[in-house]
Amino acid sequence: MIKLAINFLSAPLYSFTAFCILFVLAMKRMDIVGTKKFGMGLLIFTLVIFGWMVSDPVFFSVISLPDNIPIIILNALVFWSTWFSLYKGHQNDLRIAAGEPPIEGTPENREKVWAWPNLVYTELFCIIACTIFLIVWAIFFKAPLEEPANPTWAPNPAKAPWYFLGLQEMLVYFDPWMAGVVLPVLIIVGLIAIPFIDINPKGNGYYTFAERKYAIAGFTFGWLALWIFLIQIGTFLRGPNWTFYGPFEFWDSHKVVAENNVNLSEFFWIKGLNVALPKNIFVREIMGIILTGVYLVAVPFYVTKRWGQDMLSRMGGIRYYLLVFLVLGMMSLPIKMYLRWFFFLKYIVAMPEFELNL
Amino acid sequence: MSEGFAKKVANTQVWKAIFRHGPPNNARNRAAVVAGNVFLHLHPIKLKKSGVQLGYTWCMGGLTFFIFLSLTITGVLLMFYYRPTAEYAFTDIIGLREHVPLGIMRELHRWGAHLMVITVWIHMFRVFMTGSYKPPREFNWGVGVILLVLTMLLSFTGYLLPWDQLAIWAITVGSNMAKATPFMGNGGPGAMLARIGDFVMVSDKNDVRFQLLGGRFVGEAALLRFYILHCVFIPLVVAVLIAIHFWRVRKDGGISAPL
Ligand code: HEM
């Protein structure tokens, strides 16, 4: 019963929405999230749930695949690093609010110490710990090896390595040219551009949340919701034919899912105006083209006019519009996801004639 | 007694020939041990206490580097046993598994590769959360992003080498994306515009995917390409970039700290 409910609720629509809501709440209540109590509580809660889920044979069979072990380690480290950095940030925020320097800036911590032994021993410790960890991992989990390569028989599902599964999951919502080329390029360019866009001089060299709220919220949203979360879905919840399977659902390759997604042009001409699709491609796709234009031009224009003047003059045009463009690119993914879930929308602009589907 | 013994050892000609100074238990020798050792001299001699603390850097950059080094070593050992041809690749891996006693090299290499992807991500997250990309470290952040991409490409190119079903189909899925590159991939937007009469300029015989795989599908040519990218080309580039990265950490004033 509970398992059926979890199967149902882990569908991307619900789980992603829940994740986003929790994310916003967490960002709003750093006074709760940034405490040891909260960290401990969440850890115990997660471990209990996870332990209970692992006791399910179906879930266990997916999670214990040798190539899925890294994702468990990733999750543990992401969990810890997120909470720990927010915790340290919150501690520093309290100090700063009380007129003290952040912990990294106390006279004691500004003092210079010898690299030998202070730094060298710490590194040695990390190296030894890492080596032991790797050796134990290597002894207990054999590297997988499947049947010899056979170009004529594709396994189902055929999955990319786990670190690309976020991108493969995007393929559900975007065509390969977006999910595989444009969005990755935007991610790389966007990352490199961060230091040049974020001109807030505060929070350089110490953990803080309050002094760079929006930078941290924006970055962690992309990192956790659009990258890590999608990897989880792509790895654990996508079975044959990339169909969604709940965590306790057996990967039955005969599960049929109705695929009746429609293009915006079909919505507009056939359902809306009750006429056949126009022959001319550009007339046919006119709504999508207009909407894309609105999204890329009119929305930023209006938002800037209304709320962005201040920021624009502080940052300068290039920085500001680069930021706007990157945010629009990033948000295009959740937007497309919700359009698909709510309206079964396939493409906003569908021009298979040019392989240009958006 | 042991102290006396240590002193004696430190006074031998052999010790002095190697280390050139006594044990690092006084200021002069502590400076000398770091400055005089080619590996240790990556570090400054003295640095702010805040930057030494594990709670600040999490040692994630350092561990990424360490894992990179151990991957180089285990990788070289694997190369002794592995031939990148469609005929031998798979059986060589089987051989590694069945004929090498206590063999965990392949495991160390594979899990290490996964771990490096993880640590490099967490390192980036740490650098972000401490605001360490802010001036004067903007450039080093950019170098880091390139390293991040290359780390994933290293892992990706290595994924093909066992030449099993997992390998070729994962690479097929991944490299199919290249087909969709606008204008440069055979199935990408705009590619069909590039034709003169009947002559297709961007075909599946010359688009970016073909260049990547050395063919129209993941075959032997792709195996050789990925092998060379994985064992020679990308590691070399990564090594150079890591050198730049470390150099810049020092030149930008060491590990970041409050101004
Ligand atoms: C192969 C990959 C990489 C290696 C081996 C590496 C190694 C290191 C090491 C050893 C440090 C010294 C401090 C520490 O351990 O945290 C460092 C610092 C730094 N890294 Fe990386 N790194 C890599 C990738 C990256 C990436 C992906 C980024 C960011 C996108 C990045 C940005 C930086 C910056 C800005 C610093 C200076 C941090 C500070 O001063 O606090 N690095 N890196």
Side-chain angles (χ1 to χ4, degrees):
Chain A
M1 199 37 222
I2 300 178
K3 286 187 179 175
L4 282 182
I6 293 186
N7 277 346
F8 179 74
L9 290 177
S10 50
L13 166 58
Y14 307 113
S15 55
F16 185 78
T17 309
F19 190 88
C20 292
I21 294 174
L22 288 178
F23 180 83
V24 173
L25 287 180
M27 290 293 137
K28 292 233 167 225
R29 295 310 302 268
M30 210 39 72
D31 52 330
I32 299 178
V33 174
T35 57
K36 277 199 174 135
K37 249 201 207 126
F38 180 85
M40 266 327 248
L42 191 62
L43 178 65
I44 293 170
F45 177 76
T46 315
L47 285 181
V48 169
I49 298 281
F50 184 72
W52 171 72
M53 286 175 80
V54 167
S55 69
D56 182 276
V58 174
F59 184 71
F60 183 76
S61 69
V62 174
I63 208 116
S64 61
L65 288 177
D67 262 350
N68 285 347
I69 303 291
I71 309 182
I72 316 250
I73 296 169
L74 170 75
N75 288 349
L77 276 175
V78 166
F79 180 98
W80 171 80
S81 61
T82 308
W83 174 77
F84 188 65
S85 52
L86 291 175
Y87 164 74
K88 293 197 81 166
H90 183 60
Q91 296 288 309
N92 274 343
D93 292 343
L94 294 178
R95 293 178 62 95
I96 293 167
E100 293 170 59
I103 197 86
E104 291 88 349
T106 56
E108 188 206 347
N109 275 330
R110 285 174 167 280
E111 218 170 277
K112 294 231 171 172
V113 295
W114 293 103
W116 184 296
N118 301 283
L119 179 56
V120 178
Y121 278 33
T122 311
E123 288 175 346
L124 189 66
F125 168 78
C126 292
I127 287 176
I128 293 174
C130 178
T131 310
I132 294 176
F133 180 79
L134 259 180
I135 290 180
V136 171
W137 187 3
I139 289 175
F140 283 101
F141 290 92
K142 280 263 147 254
L145 191 65
E146 297 190 350
E147 308 283 295
N150 179 356
T152 57
W153 183 78
N156 188 5
K159 291 193 180 186
W162 60 269
Y163 37 83
F164 287 142
L165 284 190
L167 298 177
Q168 201 176 348
E169 174 65 15
M170 288 181 202
L171 281 175
V172 175
Y173 309 100
F174 280 116
D175 265 15
W177 70 277
M178 276 295 283
V181 185
V182 174
L183 290 177
V185 168
L186 272 188
I187 296 174
I188 296 170
V189 172
L191 283 175
I192 294 180
I194 285 178
F196 304 99
I197 293 177
D198 178 7
I199 51 167
N200 173 8
K202 286 189 186 158
N204 183 348
Y206 52 95
Y207 290 94
T208 170
F209 177 75
E211 293 189 341
R212 3 186 334 240
K213 263 193 217 130
Y214 296 105
I216 290 183
F219 182 83
T220 30
F221 178 74
W223 164 238
L224 295 177
L226 301 182
W227 189 252
I228 298 294
F229 192 82
L230 291 191
I231 289 179
Q232 314 298 319
I233 294 190
T235 313
F236 298 124
L237 305 179
R238 293 290 183 183
N241 308 323
W242 211 253
T243 305
F244 168 80
Y245 290 83
F248 307 116
E249 200 175 339
F250 175 68
W251 284 14
D252 169 12
S253 56
H254 300 296
K255 178 174 177 179
V256 248
V257 192
E259 272 274 355
N260 39 16
N261 300 328
V262 261
N263 294 332
L264 182 64
S265 49
E266 291 161 343
F267 264 117
F268 180 68
W269 296 106
I270 301 178
K271 295 209 173 151
L273 299 182
N274 225 336
V275 294
L277 285 179
K279 282 265 152 1
N280 184 303
I281 307 169
F282 296 98
V283 177
R284 187 186 73 205
E285 300 301 330
I286 189 74
M287 273 312 279
I289 296 173
I290 292 179
L291 271 185
T292 313
V294 166
Y295 181 65
L296 287 179
V297 182
V299 169
F301 189 76
Y302 179 74
V303 170
T304 309
K305 207 87 220 204
R306 196 71 210 273
W307 296 287
Q309 286 305 333
D310 205 35
M311 213 163 140
L312 174 59
S313 58
R314 240 183 316 124
M315 292 174 69
I318 298 183
R319 281 199 188 90
Y320 178 80
Y321 284 108
L322 184 58
L323 174 65
V324 167
F325 179 68
L326 290 170
V327 170
L328 287 176
M330 175 160 130
M331 293 318 285
S332 70
L333 177 62
I335 290 176
K336 194 85 198 284
M337 285 157 73
Y338 279 103
L339 287 177
R340 171 69 53 83
W341 296 332
F342 285 150
F343 306 112
F344 301 98
L345 181 81
K346 188 157 189 207
Y347 294 124
I348 298 172
V349 178
M351 299 187 180
E353 295 86 350
F354 304 118
E355 306 271 4
L356 187 77
N357 300 316
L358 201 66
Chain B
M1 178 222 114
S2 66
E3 202 141 290
F5 181 69
K7 223 174 226 157
K8 260 193 197 135
V9 172
N11 266 326
T12 59
Q13 192 186 353
V14 176
W15 175 282
K16 283 184 179 158
I18 299 175
F19 296 107
R20 304 179 65 221
H21 52 73
N25 50 16
N26 60 37
R28 192 178 153 275
N29 285 351
R30 280 178 180 171
V33 68
V34 170
N37 180 300
V38 66
F39 305 107
L40 292 181
H41 98 287
L42 291 173
H43 305 113
I45 289 171
K46 277 186 124 179
L47 65 174
K48 286 203 185 109
K49 195 164 169 203
S50 64
V52 179
Q53 281 157 354
L54 203 48
Y56 187 71
T57 62
W58 314 343
C59 204
M60 277 300 156
L63 279 183
T64 310
F65 182 50
F66 170 68
I67 298 171
F68 178 71
L69 292 181
S70 45
L71 286 172
T72 311
I73 295 169
T74 52
V76 168
L77 292 176
L78 289 175
M79 284 171 79
F80 286 133
Y81 291 89
Y82 175 86
R83 288 162 289 180
T85 62
E87 193 183 348
Y88 292 121
F90 183 77
T91 47
D92 284 349
I93 301 282
I94 298 267
L96 263 173
R97 167 139 99 178
E98 299 192 341
H99 305 311
V100 182
L102 295 180
I104 55 166
M105 274 316 136
R106 185 167 167 244
E107 279 70 22
L108 283 180
H109 195 75
R110 190 181 185 98
W111 303 142
H114 286 309
L115 198 60
M116 182 172 168
V117 173
I118 297 173
T119 54
V120 81
W121 288 3
I122 304 291
H123 172 57
M124 177 174 83
F125 184 73
R126 186 291 285 183
V127 171
F128 184 87
M129 293 305 271
T130 55
S132 304
Y133 57 84
K134 299 188 177 201
R137 298 183 178 80
E138 309 100 306
F139 176 77
N140 218 12
W141 167 271
V143 174
V145 174
I146 307 292
L147 277 169
L148 172 93
V149 175
L150 288 178
T151 303
M152 283 157 71
L153 287 183
L154 257 182
S155 205
F156 182 68
T157 47
Y159 215 80
L160 180 64
L161 303 185
W163 205 242
D164 61 345
Q165 282 289 72
L166 198 63
I168 67 160
W169 289 102
I171 304 306
T172 303
V173 169
S175 60
N176 269 345
M177 305 262 187
K179 197 163 66 181
T181 314
F183 300 107
M184 297 191 303
N186 176 244
M192 60 269 296
L193 299 178
R195 51 164 74 216
I196 304 169
D198 274 347
F199 178 68
V200 185
M201 270 155 54
V202 184
S203 77
D204 61 354
K205 293 192 197 65
N206 65 9
D207 66 348
V208 277
R209 182 167 180 276
F210 187 95
Q211 309 302 335
L212 178 70
L213 298 180
R216 280 176 302 151
F217 50 87
V218 180
E220 188 152 32
L223 180 58
L224 184 61
R225 270 182 202 208
F226 275 49
Y227 176 75
I228 291 170
L229 286 174
H230 182 75
C231 300
V232 185
F233 185 70
I234 305 181
L236 279 179
V237 177
V238 167
V240 171
L241 284 176
I242 288 182
I244 297 175
H245 196 59
F246 288 0
W247 175 254
R248 282 303 289 250
V249 172
R250 293 287 303 275
K251 290 295 139 183
D252 295 341
I255 302 298
S256 55
L259 300 172

